[in-house]
Amino acid sequence: MARLVIVSNRVPDVSDGAAPRAGGLAVGLADALVPGSVWFGWSGKCIDTRSHEVTRAEAEGVTYATIDLAEADHRAFYLGFSNATLWPLFHMMPSFVTFDSAEYKAYREVNEQFAEALMALLRPDDLIWIHDYQLLGVAADLRRRGVRNRIGFFLHIPFPAPALFELLPCAEELLAGMLAHDVIGFHTPPDRARFLEAMAAHGYQVQGDDVLHEGRRIRVVVTPIGIDVEGFSRLAGRAIRRVEAKRVVDSLNGRTLMISADRLDYTKGLPARFDAYRRFLGSYPEHRRRISFLQVAAPSREEVEKYKSLRDELAYKAGAINGAFSDFDWVPLRYMTRAAGRGLLAGMFRISHIGLVTPLRDGMNLVAMEYIAAQDGADPGVLILSRFAGAASLLPEALLVNPYDIDAMAAAMHRAMSMSLEERQERHEALLEHIRTHNATAFSRSFVAALNRFN
Ligand code: ADQ
């Protein structure tokens, strides 16, 4: 069997000899990362100058190979073009986009640096699987260096509407670079359709779900990511027996818990969510004092200006909600700006009657799946989910909401508070079935199978 080489911006840190932490991509790839595989990317460390030196570490038979980035490259490639241009544009939030040609140049150079460092690691029959928007050009850089291996690419975030993609001065160059892959994967059919539409608009030949280019056929597939459902469910079951979870339950005094957990990112829709909660408390006074909303927001990309202003905005809104509605013995909103451990988060999901997942736009959203997996089937909670998360296409039995519609979100909270046990169970059973079908194993197997089938 061919060796699998994973390439992503970040690589799990196994420098202390420990198994990689169970983050989204590590879980999604667990099944594919058999002993002998390689995972290559940035170490997370910055140094003074550019270097192609590769550091290797090993855990459970997998080689984790990393390079360091020059401090200036990290600013321009990562914080700049990747996260201040591509991230907001691909999430279809053009007013958040900045474009700086020097940052784009650094993006191209860092992609080159990845390709150059990879050359020392590759064997002729390796399957190469590149991940995400930071590395759109690596395959083309590898081809220029003579690499003939099969190369796959998976985009973890949405692909934008073609009219928005066109705002990028480098739109053509990015699309042309993507044609160096053999297989390109997206979470949902609409993402694939938008990508193919952009290809056609640029004059490339689209045939069914493939792009034909210079005698080659590029397969464009839909392989949604998933989670380890049984593993997360077990984690939640163990977590509710822990003292931290008991403390949370005690603090509720019999009130209903509603939970959200996200990276602190403007795509996740936190300000509108806070507005909706405020509207809910105002419009449905019968629920006041009966509910507590816990928002756990993990700080993210704090050096990017838009993320700093988001933090200020949320602190203001949270204060305003608590100022307007708190009572001497009740605080409506608990707002934490830190990451929670996975076990604790799983336990919190389990004891929450409502899971509120309302991104303005999201590639997939694993929190929605984790919330479902964490529930007790005998008394499951209700998932309120944005129709603009990729997960909505897999989870139609959630209460689907438009995250821009504050009244509709408030009404969904009311509906979730009032839903019968029978309806909750019916919805939960269906949702559980979907996340079992589209789990982490299905994700990596179907993508690798597409890459293997390619000819
Ligand atoms: P993210 O934007 O990071 O991922 P998501 O899919 O929700 O979003 O994954 C977040 C992960 O971080 C989950 O496992 C979640 O439990 C964890 N997490 C979130 N908030 C946390 C908190 N406050 N404390 C601790 N852990 C927290 C990108 C795309 C998504 C896509 C994934 C995978 O933006 O759309 O689903 O990649 O493809």
PDB file of all heavy atoms in Angstrom, residues 169-189:
ATOM      1  N   PRO A 169      -7.337  39.735  -6.704  1.00  0.00           N
ATOM      2  CA  PRO A 169      -6.504  40.046  -7.879  1.00  0.00           C
ATOM      3  C   PRO A 169      -5.764  38.809  -8.397  1.00  0.00           C
ATOM      4  O   PRO A 169      -5.431  38.742  -9.567  1.00  0.00           O
ATOM      5  CB  PRO A 169      -5.518  41.086  -7.334  1.00  0.00           C
ATOM      6  CG  PRO A 169      -6.201  41.683  -6.147  1.00  0.00           C
ATOM      7  CD  PRO A 169      -7.036  40.593  -5.556  1.00  0.00           C
ATOM      8  N   CYS A 170      -5.534  37.836  -7.509  1.00  0.00           N
ATOM      9  CA  CYS A 170      -4.785  36.634  -7.913  1.00  0.00           C
ATOM     10  C   CYS A 170      -5.713  35.445  -8.170  1.00  0.00           C
ATOM     11  O   CYS A 170      -5.287  34.284  -8.089  1.00  0.00           O
ATOM     12  CB  CYS A 170      -3.778  36.280  -6.826  1.00  0.00           C
ATOM     13  SG  CYS A 170      -4.542  36.148  -5.199  1.00  0.00           S
ATOM     14  N   ALA A 171      -7.010  35.724  -8.463  1.00  0.00           N
ATOM     15  CA  ALA A 171      -7.988  34.641  -8.621  1.00  0.00           C
ATOM     16  C   ALA A 171      -7.525  33.606  -9.644  1.00  0.00           C
ATOM     17  O   ALA A 171      -7.535  32.395  -9.391  1.00  0.00           O
ATOM     18  CB  ALA A 171      -9.344  35.213  -9.022  1.00  0.00           C
ATOM     19  N   GLU A 172      -7.097  34.071 -10.808  1.00  0.00           N
ATOM     20  CA  GLU A 172      -6.709  33.143 -11.882  1.00  0.00           C
ATOM     21  C   GLU A 172      -5.499  32.296 -11.466  1.00  0.00           C
ATOM     22  O   GLU A 172      -5.479  31.081 -11.671  1.00  0.00           O
ATOM     23  CB  GLU A 172      -6.415  33.930 -13.170  1.00  0.00           C
ATOM     24  CG  GLU A 172      -5.738  33.138 -14.285  1.00  0.00           C
ATOM     25  CD  GLU A 172      -6.482  31.869 -14.705  1.00  0.00           C
ATOM     26  OE1 GLU A 172      -7.719  31.819 -14.600  1.00  0.00           O
ATOM     27  OE2 GLU A 172      -5.786  30.900 -15.110  1.00  0.00           O
ATOM     28  N   GLU A 173      -4.531  32.931 -10.844  1.00  0.00           N
ATOM     29  CA  GLU A 173      -3.320  32.202 -10.456  1.00  0.00           C
ATOM     30  C   GLU A 173      -3.652  31.096  -9.433  1.00  0.00           C
ATOM     31  O   GLU A 173      -3.128  29.985  -9.511  1.00  0.00           O
ATOM     32  CB  GLU A 173      -2.314  33.177  -9.865  1.00  0.00           C
ATOM     33  CG  GLU A 173      -0.910  32.610  -9.809  1.00  0.00           C
ATOM     34  CD  GLU A 173       0.097  33.633  -9.280  1.00  0.00           C
ATOM     35  OE1 GLU A 173      -0.137  34.847  -9.429  1.00  0.00           O
ATOM     36  OE2 GLU A 173       1.104  33.186  -8.705  1.00  0.00           O
ATOM     37  N   LEU A 174      -4.556  31.413  -8.500  1.00  0.00           N
ATOM     38  CA  LEU A 174      -4.916  30.409  -7.490  1.00  0.00           C
ATOM     39  C   LEU A 174      -5.638  29.223  -8.131  1.00  0.00           C
ATOM     40  O   LEU A 174      -5.346  28.060  -7.843  1.00  0.00           O
ATOM     41  CB  LEU A 174      -5.787  31.022  -6.390  1.00  0.00           C
ATOM     42  CG  LEU A 174      -5.081  31.989  -5.431  1.00  0.00           C
ATOM     43  CD1 LEU A 174      -6.057  32.501  -4.385  1.00  0.00           C
ATOM     44  CD2 LEU A 174      -3.878  31.339  -4.744  1.00  0.00           C
ATOM     45  N   LEU A 175      -6.592  29.531  -9.015  1.00  0.00           N
ATOM     46  CA  LEU A 175      -7.336  28.444  -9.671  1.00  0.00           C
ATOM     47  C   LEU A 175      -6.401  27.581 -10.520  1.00  0.00           C
ATOM     48  O   LEU A 175      -6.454  26.353 -10.484  1.00  0.00           O
ATOM     49  CB  LEU A 175      -8.441  29.000 -10.561  1.00  0.00           C
ATOM     50  CG  LEU A 175      -9.732  29.461  -9.886  1.00  0.00           C
ATOM     51  CD1 LEU A 175     -10.752  29.816 -10.961  1.00  0.00           C
ATOM     52  CD2 LEU A 175     -10.302  28.409  -8.944  1.00  0.00           C
ATOM     53  N   ALA A 176      -5.532  28.252 -11.279  1.00  0.00           N
ATOM     54  CA  ALA A 176      -4.606  27.513 -12.147  1.00  0.00           C
ATOM     55  C   ALA A 176      -3.719  26.603 -11.291  1.00  0.00           C
ATOM     56  O   ALA A 176      -3.459  25.445 -11.654  1.00  0.00           O
ATOM     57  CB  ALA A 176      -3.760  28.484 -12.957  1.00  0.00           C
ATOM     58  N   GLY A 177      -3.280  27.095 -10.145  1.00  0.00           N
ATOM     59  CA  GLY A 177      -2.434  26.294  -9.248  1.00  0.00           C
ATOM     60  C   GLY A 177      -3.169  25.069  -8.736  1.00  0.00           C
ATOM     61  O   GLY A 177      -2.602  23.983  -8.610  1.00  0.00           O
ATOM     62  N   MET A 178      -4.466  25.238  -8.481  1.00  0.00           N
ATOM     63  CA  MET A 178      -5.237  24.105  -7.945  1.00  0.00           C
ATOM     64  C   MET A 178      -5.345  22.957  -8.948  1.00  0.00           C
ATOM     65  O   MET A 178      -5.573  21.805  -8.577  1.00  0.00           O
ATOM     66  CB  MET A 178      -6.624  24.576  -7.495  1.00  0.00           C
ATOM     67  CG  MET A 178      -6.550  25.410  -6.222  1.00  0.00           C
ATOM     68  SD  MET A 178      -8.170  25.963  -5.687  1.00  0.00           S
ATOM     69  CE  MET A 178      -8.785  24.481  -4.877  1.00  0.00           C
ATOM     70  N   LEU A 179      -5.173  23.278 -10.242  1.00  0.00           N
ATOM     71  CA  LEU A 179      -5.257  22.231 -11.264  1.00  0.00           C
ATOM     72  C   LEU A 179      -4.064  21.269 -11.216  1.00  0.00           C
ATOM     73  O   LEU A 179      -4.034  20.277 -11.943  1.00  0.00           O
ATOM     74  CB  LEU A 179      -5.378  22.859 -12.656  1.00  0.00           C
ATOM     75  CG  LEU A 179      -6.712  23.583 -12.880  1.00  0.00           C
ATOM     76  CD1 LEU A 179      -6.681  24.411 -14.144  1.00  0.00           C
ATOM     77  CD2 LEU A 179      -7.842  22.562 -12.917  1.00  0.00           C
ATOM     78  N   ALA A 180      -3.107  21.561 -10.377  1.00  0.00           N
ATOM     79  CA  ALA A 180      -1.972  20.643 -10.216  1.00  0.00           C
ATOM     80  C   ALA A 180      -2.361  19.423  -9.370  1.00  0.00           C
ATOM     81  O   ALA A 180      -1.617  18.450  -9.291  1.00  0.00           O
ATOM     82  CB  ALA A 180      -0.801  21.373  -9.562  1.00  0.00           C
ATOM     83  N   HIS A 181      -3.525  19.490  -8.699  1.00  0.00           N
ATOM     84  CA  HIS A 181      -3.980  18.331  -7.907  1.00  0.00           C
ATOM     85  C   HIS A 181      -4.639  17.307  -8.813  1.00  0.00           C
ATOM     86  O   HIS A 181      -5.086  17.632  -9.913  1.00  0.00           O
ATOM     87  CB  HIS A 181      -4.995  18.775  -6.841  1.00  0.00           C
ATOM     88  CG  HIS A 181      -4.452  19.785  -5.877  1.00  0.00           C
ATOM     89  ND1 HIS A 181      -4.780  21.121  -5.925  1.00  0.00           N
ATOM     90  CD2 HIS A 181      -3.596  19.658  -4.845  1.00  0.00           C
ATOM     91  CE1 HIS A 181      -4.155  21.781  -4.967  1.00  0.00           C
ATOM     92  NE2 HIS A 181      -3.418  20.914  -4.299  1.00  0.00           N
ATOM     93  N   ASP A 182      -4.753  16.087  -8.315  1.00  0.00           N
ATOM     94  CA  ASP A 182      -5.496  15.053  -9.039  1.00  0.00           C
ATOM     95  C   ASP A 182      -6.920  14.956  -8.513  1.00  0.00           C
ATOM     96  O   ASP A 182      -7.848  14.635  -9.250  1.00  0.00           O
ATOM     97  CB  ASP A 182      -4.801  13.691  -8.876  1.00  0.00           C
ATOM     98  CG  ASP A 182      -3.415  13.724  -9.487  1.00  0.00           C
ATOM     99  OD1 ASP A 182      -3.307  14.037 -10.684  1.00  0.00           O
ATOM    100  OD2 ASP A 182      -2.428  13.466  -8.759  1.00  0.00           O
ATOM    101  N   VAL A 183      -7.077  15.181  -7.200  1.00  0.00           N
ATOM    102  CA  VAL A 183      -8.398  15.127  -6.577  1.00  0.00           C
ATOM    103  C   VAL A 183      -8.535  16.351  -5.679  1.00  0.00           C
ATOM    104  O   VAL A 183      -7.603  16.694  -4.940  1.00  0.00           O
ATOM    105  CB  VAL A 183      -8.554  13.840  -5.718  1.00  0.00           C
ATOM    106  CG1 VAL A 183      -9.890  13.852  -4.969  1.00  0.00           C
ATOM    107  CG2 VAL A 183      -8.442  12.587  -6.579  1.00  0.00           C
ATOM    108  N   ILE A 184      -9.696  17.028  -5.778  1.00  0.00           N
ATOM    109  CA  ILE A 184      -9.956  18.191  -4.910  1.00  0.00           C
ATOM    110  C   ILE A 184     -11.255  17.907  -4.162  1.00  0.00           C
ATOM    111  O   ILE A 184     -12.267  17.563  -4.778  1.00  0.00           O
ATOM    112  CB  ILE A 184     -10.091  19.489  -5.739  1.00  0.00           C
ATOM    113  CG1 ILE A 184      -8.771  19.746  -6.502  1.00  0.00           C
ATOM    114  CG2 ILE A 184     -10.423  20.683  -4.846  1.00  0.00           C
ATOM    115  CD1 ILE A 184      -8.825  20.951  -7.434  1.00  0.00           C
ATOM    116  N   GLY A 185     -11.226  18.048  -2.824  1.00  0.00           N
ATOM    117  CA  GLY A 185     -12.395  17.684  -2.018  1.00  0.00           C
ATOM    118  C   GLY A 185     -12.996  18.867  -1.275  1.00  0.00           C
ATOM    119  O   GLY A 185     -12.288  19.782  -0.845  1.00  0.00           O
ATOM    120  N   PHE A 186     -14.341  18.827  -1.147  1.00  0.00           N
ATOM    121  CA  PHE A 186     -15.082  19.848  -0.404  1.00  0.00           C
ATOM    122  C   PHE A 186     -16.022  19.150   0.575  1.00  0.00           C
ATOM    123  O   PHE A 186     -16.333  17.976   0.428  1.00  0.00           O
ATOM    124  CB  PHE A 186     -15.912  20.711  -1.367  1.00  0.00           C
ATOM    125  CG  PHE A 186     -15.058  21.498  -2.323  1.00  0.00           C
ATOM    126  CD1 PHE A 186     -14.778  21.005  -3.601  1.00  0.00           C
ATOM    127  CD2 PHE A 186     -14.513  22.715  -1.951  1.00  0.00           C
ATOM    128  CE1 PHE A 186     -13.982  21.719  -4.481  1.00  0.00           C
ATOM    129  CE2 PHE A 186     -13.708  23.438  -2.835  1.00  0.00           C
ATOM    130  CZ  PHE A 186     -13.444  22.943  -4.087  1.00  0.00           C
ATOM    131  N   HIS A 187     -16.521  19.943   1.557  1.00  0.00           N
ATOM    132  CA  HIS A 187     -17.456  19.384   2.540  1.00  0.00           C
ATOM    133  C   HIS A 187     -18.852  19.147   1.953  1.00  0.00           C
ATOM    134  O   HIS A 187     -19.547  18.221   2.361  1.00  0.00           O
ATOM    135  CB  HIS A 187     -17.649  20.357   3.709  1.00  0.00           C
ATOM    136  CG  HIS A 187     -16.510  20.431   4.672  1.00  0.00           C
ATOM    137  ND1 HIS A 187     -16.007  19.336   5.321  1.00  0.00           N
ATOM    138  CD2 HIS A 187     -15.795  21.495   5.137  1.00  0.00           C
ATOM    139  CE1 HIS A 187     -15.030  19.716   6.139  1.00  0.00           C
ATOM    140  NE2 HIS A 187     -14.881  21.011   6.044  1.00  0.00           N
ATOM    141  N   THR A 188     -19.293  20.049   1.052  1.00  0.00           N
ATOM    142  CA  THR A 188     -20.707  19.993   0.631  1.00  0.00           C
ATOM    143  C   THR A 188     -20.849  20.138  -0.888  1.00  0.00           C
ATOM    144  O   THR A 188     -19.987  20.740  -1.545  1.00  0.00           O
ATOM    145  CB  THR A 188     -21.539  21.149   1.269  1.00  0.00           C
ATOM    146  OG1 THR A 188     -21.119  22.393   0.677  1.00  0.00           O
ATOM    147  CG2 THR A 188     -21.363  21.218   2.772  1.00  0.00           C
ATOM    148  N   PRO A 189     -21.951  19.652  -1.444  1.00  0.00           N
ATOM    149  CA  PRO A 189     -22.190  19.839  -2.878  1.00  0.00           C
ATOM    150  C   PRO A 189     -22.200  21.316  -3.315  1.00  0.00           C
ATOM    151  O   PRO A 189     -21.632  21.636  -4.354  1.00  0.00           O
ATOM    152  CB  PRO A 189     -23.548  19.162  -3.112  1.00  0.00           C
ATOM    153  CG  PRO A 189     -23.630  18.121  -2.024  1.00  0.00           C
ATOM    154  CD  PRO A 189     -22.956  18.741  -0.829  1.00  0.00           C
TER     155      PRO A 189
END
